[in-house]
Amino acid sequence: MNILILYSSVTGNTQFLAKSLKSSEHTLTFQPVYPYPKNLDYDIIFLGFWVYRGAPDPRMIRLMQQIKGKRIALFGTLSAYPHSKHAQKVIARAHKYLADNTILGSFLCLGRLEQKRYQRKFTNPGSKHPMDEERKERLLEGQKHPNQEDCKNFQAFFEKIIKEQNPK
């Protein structure tokens, strides 16, 4: 089975997750989303993105809008908890951009913010998202992610998707 791992990463979080994947049975091709790939002729495409304003990042959205008739698995990093309502909205938005495809599943984990954005979140009193204890704790925890446990969980997600698509 030929599998494309296509990712968009600014801080290296999503790339770190992507590169944690291994397969002894399948051919994996790793590629950043930009420049946009010309060939999407793969059995399964894993699309990795970072979250920007409640949706996949703009480069990934542009690519998602062009993909038709493929089997897609989603993965990404964000500064919200992966099972939060916010994360659910991110996945729902990604599904809308990929409406003409078969979505096989999704995986999200916390991701470290770049230092400049991290500092701004703590020092901007006019933010529409005020700094409360829960947010402060989440942002501090996010600075430790993705970690080896996230990679292990992502690998398990990957294996589950592959097994479901290629039962033996």
Side-chain angles (χ1 to χ4, degrees):
M1 184 179 288
N2 279 337
I3 301 164
L4 176 61
I5 315 297
L6 192 58
Y7 59 89
S8 178
S9 192
V10 171
T11 59
N13 295 333
T14 310
Q15 180 181 10
F16 180 74
L17 274 182
K19 297 289 180 132
S20 75
L21 292 178
K22 303 170 191 76
S23 179
S24 57
E25 299 176 34
H26 307 288
T27 303
L28 303 182
T29 301
F30 296 87
Q31 182 178 337
V33 72
Y34 195 81
Y36 295 115
K38 294 183 182 358
N39 176 19
L40 293 176
D41 190 23
Y42 289 84
D43 299 313
I44 299 174
I45 302 171
F46 280 76
L47 295 178
F49 55 87
W50 52 281
V51 174
Y52 179 74
R53 296 186 176 176
D57 66 89
R59 282 188 170 170
M60 184 56 77
I61 288 173
R62 274 182 249 140
L63 178 67
M64 288 174 163
Q65 292 171 325
Q66 298 171 27
I67 300 175
K68 308 282 186 238
K70 300 294 181 183
R71 292 188 296 170
I72 307 283
L74 301 168
F75 69 99
T77 57
L78 72 167
S79 63
Y81 290 117
H83 300 294
S84 66
K85 287 183 181 181
H86 179 71
Q88 292 169 8
K89 288 179 184 178
V90 169
I91 293 299
R93 287 180 179 128
H95 279 240
K96 286 182 183 179
Y97 295 120
L98 293 162
D100 296 328
N101 298 279
T102 301
I103 307 299
L104 305 175
S106 58
F107 176 90
L108 293 176
C109 75
L110 275 170
R112 176 176 41 261
L113 291 172
E114 66 182 321
Q115 198 59 35
K116 185 170 59 173
R117 290 190 67 220
Y118 179 75
Q119 292 297 339
R120 196 173 6 176
K121 293 205 183 271
F122 277 95
T123 59
N124 186 357
S127 171
K128 70 177 182 175
H129 303 292
M131 186 59 69
D132 58 18
E133 282 305 310
E134 184 280 329
R135 186 166 192 238
K136 182 178 180 180
E137 181 181 311
R138 179 176 37 82
L139 290 173
L140 288 168
E141 179 63 27
Q143 294 305 101
K144 304 172 194 171
H145 294 267
N147 58 28
Q148 291 304 317
E149 187 69 22
D150 296 322
C151 292
K152 180 180 164 187
N153 292 336
F154 182 47
Q155 183 73 35
F157 166 76
F158 173 82
E159 294 296 337
K160 177 180 179 278
I161 295 293
I162 300 306
K163 186 174 182 180
E164 289 172 352
Q165 297 304 305
N166 191 27
K168 292 185 179 185

